[in-house]
Amino acid sequence: MTSISDYSTSNKIPNILIIGVGGVGSIIAYGLDYNKKSNVSILVRSDYTKVVNSGYTIDSCDYGFIKNWKPNCRIFPDIQSSTSLKPYDYIIIATKNLPDIINFEKIINPIVDEKKTTIILFQNGFGNEVPYLQNYPNNIILSGISHIGSHNINTFITQTQKDKSFISYFYNKNIPLQIQNLKTNHFISIYSNEKNDVNYFPDAQYYRYRKLVYNASLNTVCALTGVDTGRLEFFGGLDKISIPIMYEIIGIAKADNVELPSDVINSVVHSDDGDYFQPSMLVDVKKGNPMELEVILGNLLRKAKYLNVDCPKLSFLYDLLQIVQFRLKENRCLIPPLPEKRPIYKEKFYS
Amino acid sequence: MTSISDYSTSNKIPNILIIGVGGVGSIIAYGLDYNKKSNVSILVRSDYTKVVNSGYTIDSCDYGFIKNWKPNCRIFPDIQSSTSLKPYDYIIIATKNLPDIINFEKIINPIVDEKKTTIILFQNGFGNEVPYLQNYPNNIILSGISHIGSHNINTFITQTQKDKSFISYFYNKNIPLQIQNLKTNHFISIYSNEKNDVNYFPDAQYYRYRKLVYNASLNTVCALTGVDTGRLEFFGGLDKISIPIMYEIIGIAKADNVELPSDVINSVVHSDDGDYFQPSMLVDVKKGNPMELEVILGNLLRKAKYLNVDCPKLSFLYDLLQIVQFRLKENRCLIPPLPEKRPIYKEKFYS
């Protein structure tokens, strides 16, 4: 008989690795460390030397001001070195989610133990679990949705909004539901404390659709037009552009048997009340970084296609943002260089 | 009986004022001056003192290199001062066409003589004549479409592509057709020379629809996505975005009884062959200047609505670009300042 112990390492104290120590990942790592219920290691790439020498400075609305914080276990510069601490009970991925650029499900392969390792995706987007379930069909994959406000500038972490999160399992048909449920709650038990607000949520899909109502309609349109959500409203884009798009998203969810609440549009529209808020994709465009386009729009549209749902505005928006994404990738040398002189395709006839 | 003389001043030598001495207007002014068949004055705003002192330096593929050029007649700093030379046979408007910001049809009112003054709109766009025909129902309004490549940087004019243009009348139901036709040809006779390529074109609407197939599908999409026409093609936007939009434009023209040629899409697609060309609206966005959105998309969509033609992609594109236009206007202080703190409209319920 399958038991929960098949899905854990023999470590008495759970062994955790956090990949992606930005605004979100750093506070997750700190919170786990603070609880002293797990061995916490982090994987840090560009800031490695700095963090090994002096750790992070954290200015947190939840935990106060902490200087030179380092996790209780190890700091690794890459996946290869992190194999030394195998097996991991939990691998938390809290990086930007850019499957068109980097495939973490392949990168983490050397440190994932079949069944034993639970992978937690603390990331934006929709359909994020699909490549993980394909690569690790016998592992539990959890969904972490964070509502934190936090950023990391050169190892200085500024957390301005509470670490509020919702943890679910991404349904894996190969593993008894009860075990997926137990694992979700086990993780919550080692992560939750009196400072943060960690919640169990039974249905990952529902919550991710709910978050897309914001991300696919406001984050995307702000990124494309270059304005914050306040200006989008002032300039008439909320009523003319984003709300019609929200209806398309609600329609896809419905076709996927996810019934979003009747006030979802109202609460999404009011979610930045009082703020000229710049959503993440707009921030990316302004910084010249690639956007999380595929997990916010691409996967949703592939799902809509599969479900045979027509969504002309979302599709057109995706077409347009794909061009922007190419531009951002070209600027970061993430695509092959274009020919110096534009080629002429005379043989091509367009009609 | 109405005769052509009702539509001319008593000046033997036609009296011409050019408003907007940019890349296009400067070469028109120079060409007219070069022909010595008219008295050429120009209206210059920001560069006035500089031009009065030392004229323009012109590096022209048509006319060669000319230093310190000034027109044979007068240089005016504003409309008020230009009234001193009334009546004008021709007023040429070669400014950017931004009816959402400035209404030239009202500004030129003091220098337009009923019937006598012919107004020539050497500008991009569609439906440009409508406010002029409303304000000057008894004046002839001509259409000038320029294919020149030329720009003006601080009174230094660089013309890299031939001054090739098409002159038509905008049909005015209050004036005999023959007279509108004669006037069109009269202007061509004083403007055309062995260096430039000035053509009579019988149907202004046809030609303006033809030009919109480029401007409303490529110029707009490049402006919104931030890429040149070469990159748009490389990144897949030509097939997925711009060509479907061209079909919508062709459909509006057809409903307006304008049958565009069957190879129009092919020739538009190939019109920048070999160039990573940045169309004008993209250049405007990059410079932070407002775009000619209303005359390229707004007027076309108002026409489509009037004709009851559905064009979902053009409409959505217009909605998105209107947000960009607001952003550009805000940056140039052309709209009232927004409240410092974003207001909360709690009473507004969105569903």
Side-chain angles (χ1 to χ4, degrees):
Chain A
M1 214 186 91
T2 314
S3 88
I4 181 82
S5 65
D6 299 336
Y7 294 90
S8 302
T9 66
S10 53
N11 303 316
K12 285 223 172 118
I13 299 180
N15 197 22
I16 303 187
L17 178 67
I18 293 141
I19 301 175
V21 190
V24 179
S26 57
I27 299 297
I28 295 172
Y30 185 83
L32 287 163
D33 191 59
Y34 174 90
N35 294 348
K36 301 194 191 328
K37 296 176 182 169
S38 56
N39 291 324
V40 180
S41 298
I42 58 178
L43 194 154
V44 183
R45 287 199 309 172
S46 53
D47 290 332
Y48 176 72
T49 313
K50 201 168 173 188
V51 173
V52 165
N53 288 334
S54 44
Y56 291 92
T57 302
I58 300 177
D59 186 2
S60 160
C61 58
D62 289 341
Y63 300 103
F65 191 85
I66 306 112
K67 249 188 111 75
N68 306 118
W69 175 77
K70 295 180 190 178
N72 63 37
C73 199
R74 295 277 298 276
I75 301 166
F76 296 115
D78 52 36
I79 294 286
Q80 193 45 48
S81 58
S82 73
T83 56
S84 61
L85 225 64
K86 279 179 68 170
Y88 290 103
D89 292 90
Y90 295 100
I91 295 174
I92 296 175
I93 302 180
T95 59
K96 283 245 169 208
N97 199 350
L98 300 164
D100 48 333
I101 294 169
I102 189 161
N103 298 109
F104 270 101
E105 73 277 7
K106 299 215 168 89
I107 286 175
I108 62 169
N109 191 60
I111 51 173
V112 177
D113 281 80
E114 197 182 1
K115 292 192 178 176
K116 305 286 179 205
T117 305
T118 293
I119 300 164
I120 310 179
L121 306 178
F122 251 105
Q123 296 180 302
N124 249 331
F126 180 83
N128 311 21
E129 74 281 17
V130 176
Y132 289 91
L133 289 172
Q134 277 166 358
N135 280 271
Y136 310 106
N138 299 315
N139 288 61
I140 295 172
I141 317 290
L142 301 187
S143 160
I145 288 193
S146 176
H147 291 261
I148 199 172
S150 177
H151 55 264
N152 171 357
I153 297 178
N154 297 323
T155 73
F156 195 107
I157 315 292
T158 308
Q159 183 201 348
T160 53
Q161 283 172 34
K162 194 167 193 63
D163 179 13
K164 178 179 179 178
S165 61
F166 293 85
I167 316 291
S168 316
Y169 54 85
F170 286 114
Y171 175 65
N172 184 337
K173 64 176 171 21
N174 304 321
I175 303 172
L177 214 60
Q178 202 201 349
I179 290 178
Q180 299 184 58
N181 228 323
L182 277 170
K183 202 72 179 183
T184 310
N185 284 298
H186 178 252
F187 176 71
I188 292 172
S189 75
I190 55 174
Y191 177 36
S192 178
N193 59 42
E194 76 282 7
K195 309 278 191 182
N196 62 22
D197 180 8
V198 182
N199 305 276
Y200 172 83
F201 198 84
D203 186 341
Q205 283 316 80
Y206 175 94
Y207 214 87
R208 293 206 165 249
Y209 269 120
R210 170 69 182 69
K211 218 180 169 196
L212 274 187
V213 179
Y214 182 99
N215 271 328
S217 75
L218 287 169
N219 203 344
T220 51
V221 173
C222 288
L224 186 58
T225 59
V227 300
D228 55 60
T229 54
R231 283 174 170 76
L232 189 71
E233 181 178 13
F234 261 109
F235 299 162
L238 196 56
D239 291 299
K240 277 204 283 190
I241 305 166
S242 293
I243 291 181
I245 287 173
M246 291 180 200
Y247 279 111
E248 292 191 354
I249 301 159
I250 292 168
I252 300 167
K254 194 168 188 162
D256 202 12
N257 295 314
V258 173
E259 191 77 40
L260 293 170
S262 61
D263 71 338
V264 61
I265 289 179
N266 191 58
S267 63
V268 164
V269 162
H270 284 296
S271 56
D272 300 332
D273 265 358
D275 271 351
Y276 290 107
F277 184 73
Q278 303 203 5
S280 62
M281 290 172 74
L282 172 62
V283 174
D284 286 332
V285 172
K286 286 192 164 183
K287 286 187 180 167
N289 290 332
M291 309 165 287
E292 296 185 303
L293 179 61
E294 289 310 315
V295 294
I296 286 176
L297 267 189
N299 288 348
L300 176 67
L301 283 163
R302 283 179 278 275
K303 174 67 87 169
K305 195 176 177 182
Y306 172 78
L307 295 167
N308 226 346
V309 179
D310 195 32
C311 34
K313 283 176 193 278
L314 275 168
S315 303
F316 194 44
L317 193 61
Y318 181 50
D319 291 341
L320 290 163
L321 281 166
Q322 280 182 291
I323 307 298
V324 179
Q325 183 81 329
F326 266 114
R327 168 165 66 81
L328 297 167
K329 285 186 192 172
E330 187 192 6
N331 290 345
R332 288 275 183 268
C333 301
L334 294 166
I335 56 170
L338 299 191
E340 207 160 307
K341 200 174 150 50
R342 181 179 173 190
I344 298 176
Y345 304 106
K346 272 289 178 219
E347 77 286 358
K348 261 177 119 169
F349 188 87
Y350 295 86
S351 67
Chain B
M1 212 187 92
T2 315
S3 89
I4 181 84
S5 65
D6 300 335
Y7 294 89
S8 302
T9 66
S10 53
N11 305 316
K12 285 223 173 116
I13 298 181
N15 196 22
I16 303 187
L17 177 68
I18 293 140
I19 301 174
V21 191
V24 178
S26 58
I27 299 299
I28 295 172
Y30 185 83
L32 286 163
D33 190 59
Y34 174 91
N35 293 351
K36 299 195 193 326
K37 294 176 183 169
S38 57
N39 292 324
V40 179
S41 299
I42 58 178
L43 194 154
V44 183
R45 287 200 309 171
S46 53
D47 291 330
Y48 176 72
T49 313
K50 201 168 175 188
V51 173
V52 165
N53 288 334
S54 44
Y56 291 92
T57 303
I58 300 175
D59 186 2
S60 161
C61 59
D62 289 340
Y63 300 104
F65 191 85
I66 306 111
K67 248 190 113 73
N68 305 117
W69 174 77
K70 295 181 190 178
N72 63 37
C73 199
R74 295 278 298 277
I75 302 167
F76 296 116
D78 52 35
I79 294 286
Q80 193 45 47
S81 58
S82 75
T83 56
S84 61
L85 225 67
K86 280 182 68 172
Y88 290 103
D89 293 273
Y90 295 100
I91 295 174
I92 297 175
I93 302 180
T95 60
K96 284 249 170 206
N97 198 350
L98 300 164
D100 48 334
I101 293 168
I102 190 161
N103 297 109
F104 270 102
E105 72 277 8
K106 299 217 167 89
I107 286 175
I108 62 170
N109 191 59
I111 52 172
V112 177
D113 281 81
E114 197 184 2
K115 291 191 178 176
K116 304 289 179 202
T117 305
T118 292
I119 300 164
I120 311 180
L121 305 178
F122 252 104
Q123 297 179 302
N124 249 331
F126 181 82
N128 311 20
E129 73 281 17
V130 176
Y132 289 90
L133 289 172
Q134 275 165 0
N135 281 271
Y136 310 105
N138 298 312
N139 288 62
I140 295 170
I141 317 291
L142 300 187
S143 160
I145 288 193
S146 176
H147 291 261
I148 200 172
S150 177
H151 55 262
N152 171 358
I153 298 178
N154 296 324
T155 73
F156 195 107
I157 314 293
T158 309
Q159 184 201 349
T160 53
Q161 284 173 34
K162 195 169 195 60
D163 179 12
K164 179 178 178 180
S165 61
F166 293 85
I167 316 292
S168 316
Y169 54 85
F170 285 114
Y171 174 65
N172 183 337
K173 65 176 171 17
N174 304 320
I175 304 171
L177 214 61
Q178 201 201 350
I179 290 178
Q180 299 184 59
N181 226 324
L182 276 169
K183 201 71 179 183
T184 310
N185 282 297
H186 177 252
F187 176 71
I188 292 171
S189 76
I190 56 174
Y191 176 37
S192 176
N193 59 42
E194 78 282 7
K195 308 278 190 182
N196 62 23
D197 181 9
V198 182
N199 304 275
Y200 172 83
F201 198 84
D203 186 341
Q205 284 315 81
Y206 174 94
Y207 213 87
R208 292 203 167 251
Y209 269 119
R210 171 69 182 70
K211 222 182 165 193
L212 274 188
V213 179
Y214 182 100
N215 271 328
S217 75
L218 288 169
N219 203 344
T220 51
V221 174
C222 288
L224 186 59
T225 60
V227 300
D228 56 62
T229 55
R231 284 175 170 75
L232 189 71
E233 181 177 13
F234 261 108
F235 299 162
L238 196 55
D239 290 299
K240 277 203 282 189
I241 306 168
S242 293
I243 290 180
I245 287 174
M246 291 180 199
Y247 279 110
E248 292 191 352
I249 302 161
I250 293 168
I252 300 167
K254 196 166 186 164
D256 201 13
N257 295 313
V258 172
E259 190 76 42
L260 293 170
S262 62
D263 71 338
V264 62
I265 288 179
N266 191 57
S267 62
V268 164
V269 163
H270 284 297
S271 56
D272 299 332
D273 264 359
D275 272 350
Y276 290 106
F277 184 72
Q278 303 204 1
S280 62
M281 289 172 72
L282 173 62
V283 173
D284 286 332
V285 172
K286 286 191 165 184
K287 286 186 179 167
N289 291 330
M291 310 166 284
E292 296 185 304
L293 179 62
E294 291 308 315
V295 295
I296 285 175
L297 266 190
N299 288 347
L300 177 67
L301 282 164
R302 282 179 277 275
K303 174 69 90 172
K305 194 175 179 184
Y306 172 79
L307 295 167
N308 225 346
V309 179
D310 195 34
C311 35
K313 282 176 192 277
L314 276 168
S315 302
F316 193 45
L317 193 60
Y318 181 50
D319 291 340
L320 290 163
L321 281 166
Q322 280 182 292
I323 307 298
V324 178
Q325 183 81 331
F326 267 114
R327 169 165 64 84
L328 297 167
K329 284 186 191 173
E330 188 192 5
N331 289 345
R332 287 274 183 269
C333 302
L334 293 166
I335 57 170
L338 299 191
E340 209 160 303
K341 197 171 153 54
R342 182 180 173 190
I344 299 176
Y345 305 106
K346 272 287 176 218
E347 76 287 359
K348 262 176 118 170
F349 189 87
Y350 294 87
S351 66

Coordinates of all heavy atoms in Angstrom, one line a residue, chain B residues 225-275:
Chain B
T225 N 4.1 47.9 -30.6 CA 5.0 46.9 -30.1 C 6.4 47.3 -30.0 O 7.3 46.6 -29.4 CB 4.9 45.6 -31.0 OG1 5.3 46.0 -32.3 CG2 3.5 45.1 -31.1
G226 N 6.7 48.5 -30.5 CA 8.1 49.0 -30.4 C 9.1 48.4 -31.3 O 10.3 48.5 -31.0
V227 N 8.7 47.9 -32.5 CA 9.7 47.3 -33.4 C 9.5 47.9 -34.8 O 8.4 48.5 -35.1 CB 9.5 45.8 -33.5 CG1 9.7 45.1 -32.2 CG2 8.2 45.4 -34.2
D228 N 10.6 47.9 -35.6 CA 10.5 48.3 -37.0 C 9.8 47.3 -37.8 O 9.5 46.2 -37.4 CB 11.9 48.6 -37.5 CG 12.8 47.5 -37.4 OD1 12.5 46.4 -38.0 OD2 13.8 47.5 -36.6
T229 N 9.5 47.7 -39.1 CA 8.8 46.7 -40.0 C 9.6 45.5 -40.3 O 9.0 44.4 -40.5 CB 8.4 47.4 -41.3 OG1 9.5 47.9 -42.0 CG2 7.4 48.6 -41.1
G230 N 10.9 45.5 -40.3 CA 11.7 44.3 -40.5 C 11.6 43.4 -39.4 O 11.4 42.1 -39.6
R231 N 11.7 43.9 -38.2 CA 11.5 43.0 -37.0 C 10.1 42.5 -36.9 O 9.9 41.3 -36.5 CB 11.9 43.8 -35.7 CG 13.4 43.9 -35.6 CD 13.9 44.7 -34.5 NE 15.3 44.5 -34.3 CZ 16.3 45.1 -35.1 NH1 15.9 45.9 -36.1 NH2 17.5 44.9 -35.0
L232 N 9.1 43.3 -37.2 CA 7.8 42.8 -37.1 C 7.6 41.6 -38.0 O 7.0 40.6 -37.6 CB 6.8 43.9 -37.6 CG 5.3 43.6 -37.4 CD1 5.0 43.6 -35.9 CD2 4.4 44.5 -38.2
E233 N 8.2 41.6 -39.2 CA 8.2 40.4 -40.1 C 8.9 39.2 -39.5 O 8.4 38.1 -39.4 CB 8.8 40.8 -41.5 CG 8.7 39.6 -42.5 CD 9.3 40.0 -43.8 OE1 9.9 41.1 -44.0 OE2 9.1 39.2 -44.8
F234 N 10.2 39.5 -39.0 CA 11.0 38.4 -38.4 C 10.3 37.7 -37.3 O 10.4 36.5 -37.1 CB 12.3 39.0 -37.9 CG 13.5 38.8 -38.8 CD1 14.0 39.8 -39.5 CD2 14.0 37.5 -39.0 CE1 15.0 39.6 -40.4 CE2 15.0 37.3 -39.9 CZ 15.6 38.4 -40.6
F235 N 9.6 38.6 -36.4 CA 9.0 38.1 -35.2 C 7.6 37.5 -35.5 O 6.9 37.1 -34.5 CB 8.9 39.2 -34.2 CG 10.3 39.7 -33.8 CD1 10.4 40.9 -33.1 CD2 11.5 39.0 -34.0 CE1 11.6 41.5 -32.7 CE2 12.7 39.5 -33.6 CZ 12.8 40.8 -33.0
G236 N 7.2 37.4 -36.7 CA 5.9 36.7 -37.0 C 4.7 37.6 -37.0 O 3.6 37.2 -37.2
G237 N 4.9 38.9 -36.8 CA 3.7 39.8 -36.6 C 3.1 40.2 -38.0 O 1.9 40.6 -38.0
L238 N 3.8 40.1 -39.0 CA 3.2 40.4 -40.3 C 2.1 39.5 -40.6 O 1.0 39.9 -40.9 CB 4.3 40.3 -41.4 CG 4.1 40.9 -42.7 CD1 3.8 42.4 -42.6 CD2 5.4 40.8 -43.6
D239 N 2.3 38.2 -40.6 CA 1.3 37.2 -40.9 C 0.2 37.2 -39.9 O -1.0 37.1 -40.2 CB 1.9 35.8 -41.1 CG 2.8 35.8 -42.3 OD1 2.3 35.9 -43.4 OD2 4.0 35.5 -42.2
K240 N 0.6 37.3 -38.6 CA -0.4 37.0 -37.6 C -1.2 38.3 -37.2 O -2.4 38.2 -36.8 CB 0.3 36.5 -36.3 CG 0.5 35.0 -36.3 CD 0.6 34.5 -34.9 CE 2.0 34.8 -34.3 NZ 2.2 34.0 -33.0
I241 N -0.6 39.5 -37.4 CA -1.3 40.7 -36.9 C -1.6 41.6 -38.1 O -2.8 42.0 -38.3 CB -0.4 41.4 -35.9 CG1 0.0 40.5 -34.7 CG2 -1.1 42.7 -35.4 CD1 1.1 41.1 -33.8
S242 N -0.6 42.0 -38.8 CA -0.8 43.1 -39.8 C -1.6 42.8 -41.0 O -2.4 43.5 -41.5 CB 0.6 43.8 -40.2 OG 1.1 44.4 -39.1
I243 N -1.3 41.6 -41.6 CA -2.1 41.2 -42.8 C -3.6 41.0 -42.5 O -4.4 41.5 -43.2 CB -1.4 40.0 -43.5 CG1 -0.1 40.5 -44.1 CG2 -2.3 39.4 -44.6 CD1 0.7 39.4 -44.8
P244 N -4.0 40.3 -41.4 CA -5.4 40.3 -41.1 C -6.0 41.7 -40.9 O -7.2 41.9 -41.3 CB -5.4 39.5 -39.8 CG -4.2 38.7 -39.7 CD -3.2 39.4 -40.5
I245 N -5.2 42.6 -40.4 CA -5.7 44.0 -40.3 C -5.9 44.6 -41.7 O -6.8 45.4 -41.9 CB -4.8 44.8 -39.4 CG1 -4.9 44.4 -37.9 CG2 -5.0 46.3 -39.5 CD1 -3.9 45.0 -37.0
M246 N -4.9 44.4 -42.6 CA -5.1 44.9 -43.9 C -6.4 44.5 -44.6 O -7.0 45.3 -45.3 CB -3.9 44.4 -44.8 CG -2.5 45.1 -44.4 SD -1.2 44.5 -45.4 CE 0.2 44.9 -44.4
Y247 N -6.8 43.2 -44.3 CA -8.1 42.8 -44.9 C -9.2 43.6 -44.3 O -10.2 43.9 -45.1 CB -8.3 41.3 -44.6 CG -7.5 40.4 -45.5 CD1 -6.4 39.6 -45.1 CD2 -7.9 40.3 -46.9 CE1 -5.7 38.8 -46.0 CE2 -7.2 39.5 -47.8 CZ -6.2 38.8 -47.3 OH -5.5 38.0 -48.2
E248 N -9.1 44.0 -43.1 CA -10.2 44.8 -42.5 C -10.3 46.1 -43.2 O -11.3 46.7 -43.5 CB -10.0 45.0 -41.0 CG -10.2 43.7 -40.2 CD -10.3 43.9 -38.7 OE1 -10.1 45.0 -38.2 OE2 -10.7 42.9 -38.0
I249 N -9.1 46.7 -43.5 CA -9.0 48.0 -44.1 C -9.6 47.9 -45.5 O -10.4 48.8 -46.0 CB -7.6 48.6 -44.2 CG1 -7.0 48.7 -42.8 CG2 -7.5 49.9 -44.9 CD1 -5.5 48.7 -42.7
I250 N -9.2 46.9 -46.2 CA -9.7 46.7 -47.6 C -11.2 46.5 -47.6 O -11.9 47.0 -48.5 CB -9.0 45.5 -48.2 CG1 -7.5 45.8 -48.5 CG2 -9.7 45.0 -49.5 CD1 -6.7 44.5 -48.8
G251 N -11.7 45.9 -46.5 CA -13.2 45.7 -46.4 C -13.9 47.0 -46.2 O -15.0 47.3 -46.7
I252 N -13.3 47.9 -45.4 CA -13.9 49.3 -45.2 C -13.9 50.0 -46.5 O -15.0 50.6 -46.9 CB -13.2 50.1 -44.1 CG1 -13.2 49.3 -42.8 CG2 -13.8 51.4 -43.9 CD1 -12.2 49.8 -41.7
A253 N -12.8 50.0 -47.2 CA -12.7 50.7 -48.5 C -13.8 50.2 -49.4 O -14.5 51.0 -50.1 CB -11.3 50.5 -49.1
K254 N -13.9 48.9 -49.5 CA -14.9 48.3 -50.4 C -16.3 48.8 -50.1 O -17.1 49.2 -50.9 CB -14.8 46.8 -50.3 CG -15.5 46.0 -51.4 CD -15.1 44.6 -51.4 CE -15.7 43.9 -52.6 NZ -15.0 42.6 -52.9
A255 N -16.7 48.8 -48.8 CA -18.0 49.3 -48.4 C -18.2 50.8 -48.7 O -19.3 51.2 -48.8 CB -18.2 49.1 -46.9
D256 N -17.0 51.5 -48.9 CA -17.1 52.9 -49.2 C -16.9 53.0 -50.8 O -16.5 54.1 -51.2 CB -15.9 53.6 -48.5 CG -16.1 55.1 -48.4 OD1 -17.3 55.6 -48.6 OD2 -15.2 55.8 -48.0
N257 N -17.1 52.0 -51.5 CA -17.0 51.9 -53.0 C -15.6 52.2 -53.5 O -15.5 52.7 -54.6 CB -18.0 52.9 -53.6 CG -19.4 52.5 -53.3 OD1 -19.8 51.4 -53.5 ND2 -20.2 53.5 -52.8
V258 N -14.6 51.9 -52.7 CA -13.3 52.0 -53.2 C -12.7 50.6 -53.3 O -12.5 49.9 -52.3 CB -12.4 52.9 -52.3 CG1 -10.9 52.9 -52.7 CG2 -12.9 54.3 -52.3
E259 N -12.4 50.2 -54.5 CA -11.9 48.8 -54.8 C -10.4 48.9 -54.9 O -9.9 49.4 -55.9 CB -12.6 48.3 -56.0 CG -12.3 46.8 -56.3 CD -13.2 45.9 -55.4 OE1 -14.4 46.2 -55.2 OE2 -12.7 44.9 -54.9
L260 N -9.7 48.4 -53.9 CA -8.2 48.5 -53.9 C -7.7 47.3 -54.8 O -8.4 46.3 -54.9 CB -7.7 48.4 -52.5 CG -8.0 49.7 -51.7 CD1 -7.6 49.5 -50.2 CD2 -7.3 50.9 -52.2
P261 N -6.6 47.5 -55.4 CA -6.1 46.5 -56.4 C -5.8 45.1 -55.6 O -5.5 45.1 -54.5 CB -4.8 47.1 -57.0 CG -4.4 48.1 -56.0 CD -5.6 48.6 -55.3
S262 N -5.9 44.1 -56.4 CA -5.7 42.7 -55.8 C -4.3 42.5 -55.2 O -4.1 41.7 -54.3 CB -6.1 41.7 -56.8 OG -5.1 41.7 -57.8
D263 N -3.3 43.2 -55.7 CA -2.0 43.0 -55.2 C -1.6 44.0 -54.1 O -0.4 44.2 -53.8 CB -0.9 43.0 -56.3 CG -0.8 44.4 -56.9 OD1 -1.7 45.3 -56.7 OD2 0.3 44.7 -57.4
V264 N -2.6 44.7 -53.6 CA -2.2 45.8 -52.6 C -1.5 45.3 -51.4 O -0.5 45.9 -51.0 CB -3.5 46.6 -52.2 CG1 -4.5 45.8 -51.5 CG2 -3.1 47.8 -51.3
I265 N -1.9 44.2 -50.8 CA -1.2 43.6 -49.7 C 0.2 43.3 -50.0 O 1.2 43.7 -49.3 CB -2.0 42.4 -49.1 CG1 -3.3 42.9 -48.4 CG2 -1.1 41.7 -48.1 CD1 -4.2 41.8 -47.9
N266 N 0.4 42.6 -51.1 CA 1.8 42.2 -51.5 C 2.7 43.5 -51.6 O 3.8 43.5 -51.1 CB 1.7 41.4 -52.8 CG 3.1 40.8 -53.1 OD1 3.6 40.1 -52.2 ND2 3.7 41.2 -54.2
S267 N 2.2 44.5 -52.3 CA 3.0 45.7 -52.5 C 3.3 46.4 -51.2 O 4.4 47.0 -51.0 CB 2.5 46.5 -53.7 OG 1.3 47.1 -53.3
V268 N 2.3 46.5 -50.4 CA 2.5 47.2 -49.1 C 3.5 46.4 -48.2 O 4.4 47.0 -47.7 CB 1.2 47.3 -48.3 CG1 1.4 47.6 -46.8 CG2 0.3 48.4 -48.9
V269 N 3.4 45.1 -48.2 CA 4.3 44.3 -47.4 C 5.8 44.5 -47.9 O 6.7 44.5 -47.1 CB 3.9 42.8 -47.5 CG1 5.1 41.9 -47.1 CG2 2.7 42.5 -46.6
H270 N 5.9 44.6 -49.2 CA 7.3 44.7 -49.8 C 7.7 46.2 -49.9 O 8.8 46.4 -50.4 CB 7.3 44.1 -51.2 CG 7.3 42.6 -51.1 ND1 8.4 41.9 -50.5 CD2 6.5 41.6 -51.5 CE1 8.1 40.6 -50.6 NE2 7.0 40.4 -51.2
S271 N 7.0 47.1 -49.4 CA 7.3 48.5 -49.6 C 8.6 49.0 -48.8 O 9.2 49.9 -49.2 CB 6.1 49.5 -49.3 OG 5.7 49.3 -48.0
D272 N 8.9 48.3 -47.7 CA 10.1 48.6 -47.0 C 11.2 47.6 -47.3 O 12.2 47.5 -46.5 CB 9.9 48.7 -45.5 CG 8.9 49.7 -45.1 OD1 8.7 50.7 -45.9 OD2 8.2 49.6 -44.1
D273 N 11.1 46.8 -48.3 CA 12.1 45.7 -48.6 C 13.5 46.2 -48.4 O 13.9 47.3 -48.9 CB 11.9 45.2 -50.0 CG 11.0 44.0 -50.0 OD1 10.6 43.5 -48.9 OD2 10.8 43.5 -51.1
G274 N 14.3 45.4 -47.7 CA 15.7 45.7 -47.5 C 16.0 46.7 -46.3 O 17.1 46.8 -45.9
D275 N 14.9 47.3 -45.8 CA 15.1 48.3 -44.7 C 14.5 47.8 -43.4 O 13.4 47.3 -43.4 CB 14.4 49.6 -45.0 CG 15.2 50.6 -45.8 OD1 16.4 50.3 -45.9 OD2 14.7 51.6 -46.3

